[in-house]
Amino acid sequence: MALVTISGFPCSGKTTRAKQLKEYFESRLSSPEYDGPELTVVIVDDDISHVPRSSYDTSALEKPARASLFSNVSRSLGSDTITIVDSANYIKGYRYQMYCAAREARVRVATIHVVAPPDKCGGWHEKRGECSYKPATFDNLIMRYEEPSSMVRWDSPLFTIPWDEQPPFEDIWNAILKGDKKPPPAAVLQRNKPPPNTLQTLTKTTQFIVTSLLSHISSLPGTSTYPIPSPPAPQPNSKGPLVLHLPSRKLTLSEMQRLKRQFEGVQVKAQQSGGLAASGNWTEEEVAVGFVRFLEEIWDTA
């Protein structure tokens, strides 16, 4: 039904807002005036995902922690569930990944930006005692925070809630119940009845691209593009060869393997869901094109 992403500074009141929204949604669902489908309201947070505060101390700890949270969010999405994500959600690229998962699950989205001054957040943080972040981690999370914007599709519709004001409950309710549902990204569309050995084709093709890409970068450091060999890329046509545009930063094996697994997971889930989401992208050429588009979309929003 819907994905509600809550974002804000650490200790800005995100958990309080998540609980308020859950209580309001459940009261509307149990109201005699409600005549819609039966829905469940679920909060997915760091505690449920086994993500301690210390996970944000270093990037090496934070990446698997975000992956655990994302996995729980993806499993929670469905036509009969309102999923509220109560976490830092301070990286726009991460919010984009959840947005893509919501599109794939065919649910509506909304972003809640909880706003509080840094000094107010710092005062609340000091009262947490053993449940607090390290001082350096707290300051780093505020410094690195990427504010949601209503100008980008993955943060829209955006509801900004100051710490000392009540949320616009009615507007949020209408957004998740009556708002537009975005179609799945073209890169993750699949056939209803994929041909035999599709999983083998998927993993073999993505692994070939990852391996050959890293070899290409190693031999030509600083390169900004990588022409995908054919096969698995389609034969060159009037539009030219299939080219992957690379980010300016260095790519690592662990990052590429993580993105490879994420792309494959979305593809397999799309097939299992059936319907329109399972139409396309099962030949070597289709997998190569879809994987290239997926990587470029992720890097463009990072």
Side-chain angles (χ1 to χ4, degrees), residues 252-276:
T252 64
L253 173 61
S254 60
E255 178 185 356
M256 291 306 303
Q257 292 288 12
R258 175 176 58 82
L259 292 174
K260 171 182 177 294
R261 290 192 298 270
Q262 183 181 337
F263 174 77
E264 292 171 353
V266 171
Q267 292 282 8
V268 171
K269 184 176 180 181
Q271 179 196 355
Q272 294 171 345
S273 68
L276 182 62

mmCIF file with all atom_site columns, all heavy atoms in Angstrom, residues 252-276:
data_model
loop_
_atom_site.group_PDB
_atom_site.id
_atom_site.type_symbol
_atom_site.label_atom_id
_atom_site.label_alt_id
_atom_site.label_comp_id
_atom_site.label_asym_id
_atom_site.label_entity_id
_atom_site.label_seq_id
_atom_site.pdbx_PDB_ins_code
_atom_site.Cartn_x
_atom_site.Cartn_y
_atom_site.Cartn_z
_atom_site.occupancy
_atom_site.B_iso_or_equiv
_atom_site.pdbx_formal_charge
_atom_site.auth_seq_id
_atom_site.auth_comp_id
_atom_site.auth_asym_id
_atom_site.auth_atom_id
_atom_site.pdbx_PDB_model_num
ATOM 1   N N   . THR A 1 252 ? 35.145 -0.286  -5.978  1.00 0.00 ? 252 THR A N   1
ATOM 2   C CA  . THR A 1 252 ? 35.772 -1.427  -5.321  1.00 0.00 ? 252 THR A CA  1
ATOM 3   C C   . THR A 1 252 ? 35.010 -2.709  -5.637  1.00 0.00 ? 252 THR A C   1
ATOM 4   O O   . THR A 1 252 ? 33.841 -2.673  -6.031  1.00 0.00 ? 252 THR A O   1
ATOM 5   C CB  . THR A 1 252 ? 35.814 -1.229  -3.795  1.00 0.00 ? 252 THR A CB  1
ATOM 6   O OG1 . THR A 1 252 ? 34.463 -1.173  -3.303  1.00 0.00 ? 252 THR A OG1 1
ATOM 7   C CG2 . THR A 1 252 ? 36.545 0.054   -3.433  1.00 0.00 ? 252 THR A CG2 1
ATOM 8   N N   . LEU A 1 253 ? 35.686 -3.825  -5.431  1.00 0.00 ? 253 LEU A N   1
ATOM 9   C CA  . LEU A 1 253 ? 35.049 -5.125  -5.663  1.00 0.00 ? 253 LEU A CA  1
ATOM 10  C C   . LEU A 1 253 ? 33.849 -5.307  -4.750  1.00 0.00 ? 253 LEU A C   1
ATOM 11  O O   . LEU A 1 253 ? 32.794 -5.790  -5.182  1.00 0.00 ? 253 LEU A O   1
ATOM 12  C CB  . LEU A 1 253 ? 36.068 -6.245  -5.440  1.00 0.00 ? 253 LEU A CB  1
ATOM 13  C CG  . LEU A 1 253 ? 35.517 -7.682  -5.492  1.00 0.00 ? 253 LEU A CG  1
ATOM 14  C CD1 . LEU A 1 253 ? 34.924 -7.974  -6.859  1.00 0.00 ? 253 LEU A CD1 1
ATOM 15  C CD2 . LEU A 1 253 ? 36.619 -8.690  -5.148  1.00 0.00 ? 253 LEU A CD2 1
ATOM 16  N N   . SER A 1 254 ? 33.985 -4.917  -3.481  1.00 0.00 ? 254 SER A N   1
ATOM 17  C CA  . SER A 1 254 ? 32.876 -5.116  -2.527  1.00 0.00 ? 254 SER A CA  1
ATOM 18  C C   . SER A 1 254 ? 31.653 -4.305  -2.930  1.00 0.00 ? 254 SER A C   1
ATOM 19  O O   . SER A 1 254 ? 30.517 -4.786  -2.829  1.00 0.00 ? 254 SER A O   1
ATOM 20  C CB  . SER A 1 254 ? 33.324 -4.734  -1.111  1.00 0.00 ? 254 SER A CB  1
ATOM 21  O OG  . SER A 1 254 ? 33.731 -3.384  -1.058  1.00 0.00 ? 254 SER A OG  1
ATOM 22  N N   . GLU A 1 255 ? 31.856 -3.069  -3.403  1.00 0.00 ? 255 GLU A N   1
ATOM 23  C CA  . GLU A 1 255 ? 30.716 -2.244  -3.837  1.00 0.00 ? 255 GLU A CA  1
ATOM 24  C C   . GLU A 1 255 ? 30.032 -2.854  -5.047  1.00 0.00 ? 255 GLU A C   1
ATOM 25  O O   . GLU A 1 255 ? 28.801 -2.939  -5.109  1.00 0.00 ? 255 GLU A O   1
ATOM 26  C CB  . GLU A 1 255 ? 31.178 -0.830  -4.170  1.00 0.00 ? 255 GLU A CB  1
ATOM 27  C CG  . GLU A 1 255 ? 30.040 0.058   -4.678  1.00 0.00 ? 255 GLU A CG  1
ATOM 28  C CD  . GLU A 1 255 ? 30.493 1.430   -5.137  1.00 0.00 ? 255 GLU A CD  1
ATOM 29  O OE1 . GLU A 1 255 ? 31.699 1.731   -4.982  1.00 0.00 ? 255 GLU A OE1 1
ATOM 30  O OE2 . GLU A 1 255 ? 29.664 2.180   -5.656  1.00 0.00 ? 255 GLU A OE2 1
ATOM 31  N N   . MET A 1 256 ? 30.831 -3.298  -6.026  1.00 0.00 ? 256 MET A N   1
ATOM 32  C CA  . MET A 1 256 ? 30.249 -3.862  -7.236  1.00 0.00 ? 256 MET A CA  1
ATOM 33  C C   . MET A 1 256 ? 29.508 -5.168  -6.956  1.00 0.00 ? 256 MET A C   1
ATOM 34  O O   . MET A 1 256 ? 28.448 -5.433  -7.530  1.00 0.00 ? 256 MET A O   1
ATOM 35  C CB  . MET A 1 256 ? 31.342 -4.090  -8.285  1.00 0.00 ? 256 MET A CB  1
ATOM 36  C CG  . MET A 1 256 ? 31.938 -2.811  -8.851  1.00 0.00 ? 256 MET A CG  1
ATOM 37  S SD  . MET A 1 256 ? 30.686 -1.680  -9.518  1.00 0.00 ? 256 MET A SD  1
ATOM 38  C CE  . MET A 1 256 ? 29.884 -2.716  -10.733 1.00 0.00 ? 256 MET A CE  1
ATOM 39  N N   . GLN A 1 257 ? 30.043 -5.987  -6.058  1.00 0.00 ? 257 GLN A N   1
ATOM 40  C CA  . GLN A 1 257 ? 29.361 -7.227  -5.707  1.00 0.00 ? 257 GLN A CA  1
ATOM 41  C C   . GLN A 1 257 ? 28.060 -6.942  -4.974  1.00 0.00 ? 257 GLN A C   1
ATOM 42  O O   . GLN A 1 257 ? 27.047 -7.633  -5.178  1.00 0.00 ? 257 GLN A O   1
ATOM 43  C CB  . GLN A 1 257 ? 30.275 -8.107  -4.843  1.00 0.00 ? 257 GLN A CB  1
ATOM 44  C CG  . GLN A 1 257 ? 31.485 -8.670  -5.579  1.00 0.00 ? 257 GLN A CG  1
ATOM 45  C CD  . GLN A 1 257 ? 31.115 -9.761  -6.562  1.00 0.00 ? 257 GLN A CD  1
ATOM 46  O OE1 . GLN A 1 257 ? 29.945 -9.977  -6.878  1.00 0.00 ? 257 GLN A OE1 1
ATOM 47  N NE2 . GLN A 1 257 ? 32.110 -10.475 -7.067  1.00 0.00 ? 257 GLN A NE2 1
ATOM 48  N N   . ARG A 1 258 ? 28.067 -5.893  -4.141  1.00 0.00 ? 258 ARG A N   1
ATOM 49  C CA  . ARG A 1 258 ? 26.840 -5.521  -3.422  1.00 0.00 ? 258 ARG A CA  1
ATOM 50  C C   . ARG A 1 258 ? 25.770 -5.038  -4.397  1.00 0.00 ? 258 ARG A C   1
ATOM 51  O O   . ARG A 1 258 ? 24.597 -5.434  -4.299  1.00 0.00 ? 258 ARG A O   1
ATOM 52  C CB  . ARG A 1 258 ? 27.152 -4.430  -2.401  1.00 0.00 ? 258 ARG A CB  1
ATOM 53  C CG  . ARG A 1 258 ? 25.921 -3.878  -1.685  1.00 0.00 ? 258 ARG A CG  1
ATOM 54  C CD  . ARG A 1 258 ? 26.305 -2.870  -0.629  1.00 0.00 ? 258 ARG A CD  1
ATOM 55  N NE  . ARG A 1 258 ? 27.047 -1.767  -1.175  1.00 0.00 ? 258 ARG A NE  1
ATOM 56  C CZ  . ARG A 1 258 ? 26.513 -0.719  -1.782  1.00 0.00 ? 258 ARG A CZ  1
ATOM 57  N NH1 . ARG A 1 258 ? 25.186 -0.640  -1.931  1.00 0.00 ? 258 ARG A NH1 1
ATOM 58  N NH2 . ARG A 1 258 ? 27.260 0.267   -2.249  1.00 0.00 ? 258 ARG A NH2 1
ATOM 59  N N   . LEU A 1 259 ? 26.149 -4.190  -5.357  1.00 0.00 ? 259 LEU A N   1
ATOM 60  C CA  . LEU A 1 259 ? 25.194 -3.692  -6.350  1.00 0.00 ? 259 LEU A CA  1
ATOM 61  C C   . LEU A 1 259 ? 24.720 -4.825  -7.256  1.00 0.00 ? 259 LEU A C   1
ATOM 62  O O   . LEU A 1 259 ? 23.562 -4.850  -7.670  1.00 0.00 ? 259 LEU A O   1
ATOM 63  C CB  . LEU A 1 259 ? 25.834 -2.578  -7.169  1.00 0.00 ? 259 LEU A CB  1
ATOM 64  C CG  . LEU A 1 259 ? 26.120 -1.274  -6.411  1.00 0.00 ? 259 LEU A CG  1
ATOM 65  C CD1 . LEU A 1 259 ? 26.891 -0.303  -7.281  1.00 0.00 ? 259 LEU A CD1 1
ATOM 66  C CD2 . LEU A 1 259 ? 24.836 -0.643  -5.899  1.00 0.00 ? 259 LEU A CD2 1
ATOM 67  N N   . LYS A 1 260 ? 25.619 -5.742  -7.576  1.00 0.00 ? 260 LYS A N   1
ATOM 68  C CA  . LYS A 1 260 ? 25.250 -6.911  -8.383  1.00 0.00 ? 260 LYS A CA  1
ATOM 69  C C   . LYS A 1 260 ? 24.168 -7.726  -7.676  1.00 0.00 ? 260 LYS A C   1
ATOM 70  O O   . LYS A 1 260 ? 23.153 -8.098  -8.268  1.00 0.00 ? 260 LYS A O   1
ATOM 71  C CB  . LYS A 1 260 ? 26.491 -7.773  -8.640  1.00 0.00 ? 260 LYS A CB  1
ATOM 72  C CG  . LYS A 1 260 ? 26.229 -9.125  -9.290  1.00 0.00 ? 260 LYS A CG  1
ATOM 73  C CD  . LYS A 1 260 ? 27.533 -9.896  -9.432  1.00 0.00 ? 260 LYS A CD  1
ATOM 74  C CE  . LYS A 1 260 ? 27.312 -11.290 -10.010 1.00 0.00 ? 260 LYS A CE  1
ATOM 75  N NZ  . LYS A 1 260 ? 26.542 -12.176 -9.108  1.00 0.00 ? 260 LYS A NZ  1
ATOM 76  N N   . ARG A 1 261 ? 24.381 -8.000  -6.378  1.00 0.00 ? 261 ARG A N   1
ATOM 77  C CA  . ARG A 1 261 ? 23.392 -8.782  -5.621  1.00 0.00 ? 261 ARG A CA  1
ATOM 78  C C   . ARG A 1 261 ? 22.068 -8.030  -5.521  1.00 0.00 ? 261 ARG A C   1
ATOM 79  O O   . ARG A 1 261 ? 20.991 -8.639  -5.583  1.00 0.00 ? 261 ARG A O   1
ATOM 80  C CB  . ARG A 1 261 ? 23.929 -9.100  -4.226  1.00 0.00 ? 261 ARG A CB  1
ATOM 81  C CG  . ARG A 1 261 ? 25.075 -10.103 -4.214  1.00 0.00 ? 261 ARG A CG  1
ATOM 82  C CD  . ARG A 1 261 ? 25.350 -10.589 -2.800  1.00 0.00 ? 261 ARG A CD  1
ATOM 83  N NE  . ARG A 1 261 ? 25.748 -9.502  -1.921  1.00 0.00 ? 261 ARG A NE  1
ATOM 84  C CZ  . ARG A 1 261 ? 27.011 -9.122  -1.733  1.00 0.00 ? 261 ARG A CZ  1
ATOM 85  N NH1 . ARG A 1 261 ? 27.995 -9.729  -2.377  1.00 0.00 ? 261 ARG A NH1 1
ATOM 86  N NH2 . ARG A 1 261 ? 27.306 -8.138  -0.911  1.00 0.00 ? 261 ARG A NH2 1
ATOM 87  N N   . GLN A 1 262 ? 22.138 -6.705  -5.344  1.00 0.00 ? 262 GLN A N   1
ATOM 88  C CA  . GLN A 1 262 ? 20.906 -5.912  -5.232  1.00 0.00 ? 262 GLN A CA  1
ATOM 89  C C   . GLN A 1 262 ? 20.108 -5.966  -6.531  1.00 0.00 ? 262 GLN A C   1
ATOM 90  O O   . GLN A 1 262 ? 18.883 -6.165  -6.516  1.00 0.00 ? 262 GLN A O   1
ATOM 91  C CB  . GLN A 1 262 ? 21.252 -4.466  -4.889  1.00 0.00 ? 262 GLN A CB  1
ATOM 92  C CG  . GLN A 1 262 ? 20.031 -3.576  -4.683  1.00 0.00 ? 262 GLN A CG  1
ATOM 93  C CD  . GLN A 1 262 ? 20.413 -2.154  -4.359  1.00 0.00 ? 262 GLN A CD  1
ATOM 94  O OE1 . GLN A 1 262 ? 21.507 -1.882  -3.874  1.00 0.00 ? 262 GLN A OE1 1
ATOM 95  N NE2 . GLN A 1 262 ? 19.522 -1.228  -4.634  1.00 0.00 ? 262 GLN A NE2 1
ATOM 96  N N   . PHE A 1 263 ? 20.791 -5.803  -7.659  1.00 0.00 ? 263 PHE A N   1
ATOM 97  C CA  . PHE A 1 263 ? 20.118 -5.856  -8.961  1.00 0.00 ? 263 PHE A CA  1
ATOM 98  C C   . PHE A 1 263 ? 19.494 -7.227  -9.191  1.00 0.00 ? 263 PHE A C   1
ATOM 99  O O   . PHE A 1 263 ? 18.337 -7.344  -9.605  1.00 0.00 ? 263 PHE A O   1
ATOM 100 C CB  . PHE A 1 263 ? 21.119 -5.538  -10.067 1.00 0.00 ? 263 PHE A CB  1
ATOM 101 C CG  . PHE A 1 263 ? 20.567 -5.693  -11.460 1.00 0.00 ? 263 PHE A CG  1
ATOM 102 C CD1 . PHE A 1 263 ? 19.733 -4.734  -12.003 1.00 0.00 ? 263 PHE A CD1 1
ATOM 103 C CD2 . PHE A 1 263 ? 20.877 -6.811  -12.230 1.00 0.00 ? 263 PHE A CD2 1
ATOM 104 C CE1 . PHE A 1 263 ? 19.218 -4.871  -13.289 1.00 0.00 ? 263 PHE A CE1 1
ATOM 105 C CE2 . PHE A 1 263 ? 20.367 -6.965  -13.508 1.00 0.00 ? 263 PHE A CE2 1
ATOM 106 C CZ  . PHE A 1 263 ? 19.533 -5.989  -14.037 1.00 0.00 ? 263 PHE A CZ  1
ATOM 107 N N   . GLU A 1 264 ? 20.245 -8.282  -8.885  1.00 0.00 ? 264 GLU A N   1
ATOM 108 C CA  . GLU A 1 264 ? 19.731 -9.636  -9.075  1.00 0.00 ? 264 GLU A CA  1
ATOM 109 C C   . GLU A 1 264 ? 18.535 -9.899  -8.163  1.00 0.00 ? 264 GLU A C   1
ATOM 110 O O   . GLU A 1 264 ? 17.557 -10.541 -8.566  1.00 0.00 ? 264 GLU A O   1
ATOM 111 C CB  . GLU A 1 264 ? 20.841 -10.655 -8.801  1.00 0.00 ? 264 GLU A CB  1
ATOM 112 C CG  . GLU A 1 264 ? 21.951 -10.625 -9.834  1.00 0.00 ? 264 GLU A CG  1
ATOM 113 C CD  . GLU A 1 264 ? 23.150 -11.471 -9.436  1.00 0.00 ? 264 GLU A CD  1
ATOM 114 O OE1 . GLU A 1 264 ? 23.171 -11.975 -8.283  1.00 0.00 ? 264 GLU A OE1 1
ATOM 115 O OE2 . GLU A 1 264 ? 24.067 -11.620 -10.256 1.00 0.00 ? 264 GLU A OE2 1
ATOM 116 N N   . GLY A 1 265 ? 18.601 -9.396  -6.917  1.00 0.00 ? 265 GLY A N   1
ATOM 117 C CA  . GLY A 1 265 ? 17.476 -9.593  -5.996  1.00 0.00 ? 265 GLY A CA  1
ATOM 118 C C   . GLY A 1 265 ? 16.208 -8.927  -6.481  1.00 0.00 ? 265 GLY A C   1
ATOM 119 O O   . GLY A 1 265 ? 15.113 -9.502  -6.389  1.00 0.00 ? 265 GLY A O   1
ATOM 120 N N   . VAL A 1 266 ? 16.351 -7.706  -7.011  1.00 0.00 ? 266 VAL A N   1
ATOM 121 C CA  . VAL A 1 266 ? 15.182 -6.996  -7.540  1.00 0.00 ? 266 VAL A CA  1
ATOM 122 C C   . VAL A 1 266 ? 14.606 -7.742  -8.735  1.00 0.00 ? 266 VAL A C   1
ATOM 123 O O   . VAL A 1 266 ? 13.384 -7.879  -8.876  1.00 0.00 ? 266 VAL A O   1
ATOM 124 C CB  . VAL A 1 266 ? 15.567 -5.557  -7.929  1.00 0.00 ? 266 VAL A CB  1
ATOM 125 C CG1 . VAL A 1 266 ? 14.436 -4.875  -8.682  1.00 0.00 ? 266 VAL A CG1 1
ATOM 126 C CG2 . VAL A 1 266 ? 15.918 -4.752  -6.686  1.00 0.00 ? 266 VAL A CG2 1
ATOM 127 N N   . GLN A 1 267 ? 15.487 -8.260  -9.594  1.00 0.00 ? 267 GLN A N   1
ATOM 128 C CA  . GLN A 1 267 ? 15.025 -8.983  -10.778 1.00 0.00 ? 267 GLN A CA  1
ATOM 129 C C   . GLN A 1 267 ? 14.260 -10.251 -10.394 1.00 0.00 ? 267 GLN A C   1
ATOM 130 O O   . GLN A 1 267 ? 13.183 -10.534 -10.924 1.00 0.00 ? 267 GLN A O   1
ATOM 131 C CB  . GLN A 1 267 ? 16.228 -9.359  -11.667 1.00 0.00 ? 267 GLN A CB  1
ATOM 132 C CG  . GLN A 1 267 ? 16.923 -8.181  -12.319 1.00 0.00 ? 267 GLN A CG  1
ATOM 133 C CD  . GLN A 1 267 ? 16.155 -7.654  -13.525 1.00 0.00 ? 267 GLN A CD  1
ATOM 134 O OE1 . GLN A 1 267 ? 15.043 -8.062  -13.789 1.00 0.00 ? 267 GLN A OE1 1
ATOM 135 N NE2 . GLN A 1 267 ? 16.745 -6.731  -14.250 1.00 0.00 ? 267 GLN A NE2 1
ATOM 136 N N   . VAL A 1 268 ? 14.820 -11.012 -9.468  1.00 0.00 ? 268 VAL A N   1
ATOM 137 C CA  . VAL A 1 268 ? 14.178 -12.268 -9.054  1.00 0.00 ? 268 VAL A CA  1
ATOM 138 C C   . VAL A 1 268 ? 12.845 -11.987 -8.368  1.00 0.00 ? 268 VAL A C   1
ATOM 139 O O   . VAL A 1 268 ? 11.843 -12.667 -8.603  1.00 0.00 ? 268 VAL A O   1
ATOM 140 C CB  . VAL A 1 268 ? 15.113 -13.068 -8.128  1.00 0.00 ? 268 VAL A CB  1
ATOM 141 C CG1 . VAL A 1 268 ? 14.379 -14.259 -7.525  1.00 0.00 ? 268 VAL A CG1 1
ATOM 142 C CG2 . VAL A 1 268 ? 16.336 -13.541 -8.894  1.00 0.00 ? 268 VAL A CG2 1
ATOM 143 N N   . LYS A 1 269 ? 12.834 -10.957 -7.521  1.00 0.00 ? 269 LYS A N   1
ATOM 144 C CA  . LYS A 1 269 ? 11.582 -10.613 -6.825  1.00 0.00 ? 269 LYS A CA  1
ATOM 145 C C   . LYS A 1 269 ? 10.519 -10.180 -7.830  1.00 0.00 ? 269 LYS A C   1
ATOM 146 O O   . LYS A 1 269 ? 9.330  -10.498 -7.677  1.00 0.00 ? 269 LYS A O   1
ATOM 147 C CB  . LYS A 1 269 ? 11.834 -9.511  -5.810  1.00 0.00 ? 269 LYS A CB  1
ATOM 148 C CG  . LYS A 1 269 ? 10.615 -9.163  -4.969  1.00 0.00 ? 269 LYS A CG  1
ATOM 149 C CD  . LYS A 1 269 ? 10.938 -8.127  -3.915  1.00 0.00 ? 269 LYS A CD  1
ATOM 150 C CE  . LYS A 1 269 ? 9.705  -7.785  -3.082  1.00 0.00 ? 269 LYS A CE  1
ATOM 151 N NZ  . LYS A 1 269 ? 9.993  -6.751  -2.053  1.00 0.00 ? 269 LYS A NZ  1
ATOM 152 N N   . ALA A 1 270 ? 10.936 -9.452  -8.871  1.00 0.00 ? 270 ALA A N   1
ATOM 153 C CA  . ALA A 1 270 ? 9.989  -9.012  -9.894  1.00 0.00 ? 270 ALA A CA  1
ATOM 154 C C   . ALA A 1 270 ? 9.374  -10.206 -10.604 1.00 0.00 ? 270 ALA A C   1
ATOM 155 O O   . ALA A 1 270 ? 8.177  -10.231 -10.892 1.00 0.00 ? 270 ALA A O   1
ATOM 156 C CB  . ALA A 1 270 ? 10.684 -8.100  -10.897 1.00 0.00 ? 270 ALA A CB  1
ATOM 157 N N   . GLN A 1 271 ? 10.185 -11.213 -10.898 1.00 0.00 ? 271 GLN A N   1
ATOM 158 C CA  . GLN A 1 271 ? 9.667  -12.410 -11.564 1.00 0.00 ? 271 GLN A CA  1
ATOM 159 C C   . GLN A 1 271 ? 8.655  -13.122 -10.681 1.00 0.00 ? 271 GLN A C   1
ATOM 160 O O   . GLN A 1 271 ? 7.594  -13.553 -11.130 1.00 0.00 ? 271 GLN A O   1
ATOM 161 C CB  . GLN A 1 271 ? 10.805 -13.375 -11.902 1.00 0.00 ? 271 GLN A CB  1
ATOM 162 C CG  . GLN A 1 271 ? 10.312 -14.655 -12.571 1.00 0.00 ? 271 GLN A CG  1
ATOM 163 C CD  . GLN A 1 271 ? 11.356 -15.755 -12.560 1.00 0.00 ? 271 GLN A CD  1
ATOM 164 O OE1 . GLN A 1 271 ? 12.481 -15.540 -12.146 1.00 0.00 ? 271 GLN A OE1 1
ATOM 165 N NE2 . GLN A 1 271 ? 10.970 -16.939 -12.996 1.00 0.00 ? 271 GLN A NE2 1
ATOM 166 N N   . GLN A 1 272 ? 8.993  -13.217 -9.388  1.00 0.00 ? 272 GLN A N   1
ATOM 167 C CA  . GLN A 1 272 ? 8.112  -13.925 -8.465  1.00 0.00 ? 272 GLN A CA  1
ATOM 168 C C   . GLN A 1 272 ? 6.793  -13.204 -8.267  1.00 0.00 ? 272 GLN A C   1
ATOM 169 O O   . GLN A 1 272 ? 5.763  -13.824 -7.997  1.00 0.00 ? 272 GLN A O   1
ATOM 170 C CB  . GLN A 1 272 ? 8.819  -14.110 -7.121  1.00 0.00 ? 272 GLN A CB  1
ATOM 171 C CG  . GLN A 1 272 ? 10.030 -15.028 -7.205  1.00 0.00 ? 272 GLN A CG  1
ATOM 172 C CD  . GLN A 1 272 ? 10.831 -15.030 -5.917  1.00 0.00 ? 272 GLN A CD  1
ATOM 173 O OE1 . GLN A 1 272 ? 10.673 -14.165 -5.057  1.00 0.00 ? 272 GLN A OE1 1
ATOM 174 N NE2 . GLN A 1 272 ? 11.720 -16.001 -5.768  1.00 0.00 ? 272 GLN A NE2 1
ATOM 175 N N   . SER A 1 273 ? 6.803  -11.858 -8.404  1.00 0.00 ? 273 SER A N   1
ATOM 176 C CA  . SER A 1 273 ? 5.578  -11.083 -8.188  1.00 0.00 ? 273 SER A CA  1
ATOM 177 C C   . SER A 1 273 ? 4.592  -11.244 -9.335  1.00 0.00 ? 273 SER A C   1
ATOM 178 O O   . SER A 1 273 ? 3.412  -10.963 -9.179  1.00 0.00 ? 273 SER A O   1
ATOM 179 C CB  . SER A 1 273 ? 5.917  -9.600  -7.997  1.00 0.00 ? 273 SER A CB  1
ATOM 180 O OG  . SER A 1 273 ? 6.412  -9.045  -9.193  1.00 0.00 ? 273 SER A OG  1
ATOM 181 N N   . GLY A 1 274 ? 5.097  -11.649 -10.535 1.00 0.00 ? 274 GLY A N   1
ATOM 182 C CA  . GLY A 1 274 ? 4.217  -11.835 -11.688 1.00 0.00 ? 274 GLY A CA  1
ATOM 183 C C   . GLY A 1 274 ? 3.690  -10.526 -12.229 1.00 0.00 ? 274 GLY A C   1
ATOM 184 O O   . GLY A 1 274 ? 4.119  -9.447  -11.861 1.00 0.00 ? 274 GLY A O   1
ATOM 185 N N   . GLY A 1 275 ? 2.679  -10.626 -13.101 1.00 0.00 ? 275 GLY A N   1
ATOM 186 C CA  . GLY A 1 275 ? 2.070  -9.436  -13.682 1.00 0.00 ? 275 GLY A CA  1
ATOM 187 C C   . GLY A 1 275 ? 3.052  -8.676  -14.557 1.00 0.00 ? 275 GLY A C   1
ATOM 188 O O   . GLY A 1 275 ? 4.024  -9.207  -15.077 1.00 0.00 ? 275 GLY A O   1
ATOM 189 N N   . LEU A 1 276 ? 2.833  -7.365  -14.686 1.00 0.00 ? 276 LEU A N   1
ATOM 190 C CA  . LEU A 1 276 ? 3.655  -6.535  -15.556 1.00 0.00 ? 276 LEU A CA  1
ATOM 191 C C   . LEU A 1 276 ? 5.092  -6.487  -15.075 1.00 0.00 ? 276 LEU A C   1
ATOM 192 O O   . LEU A 1 276 ? 6.021  -6.324  -15.849 1.00 0.00 ? 276 LEU A O   1
ATOM 193 C CB  . LEU A 1 276 ? 3.068  -5.114  -15.614 1.00 0.00 ? 276 LEU A CB  1
ATOM 194 C CG  . LEU A 1 276 ? 3.779  -4.114  -16.537 1.00 0.00 ? 276 LEU A CG  1
ATOM 195 C CD1 . LEU A 1 276 ? 3.711  -4.614  -17.963 1.00 0.00 ? 276 LEU A CD1 1
ATOM 196 C CD2 . LEU A 1 276 ? 3.171  -2.745  -16.402 1.00 0.00 ? 276 LEU A CD2 1
#
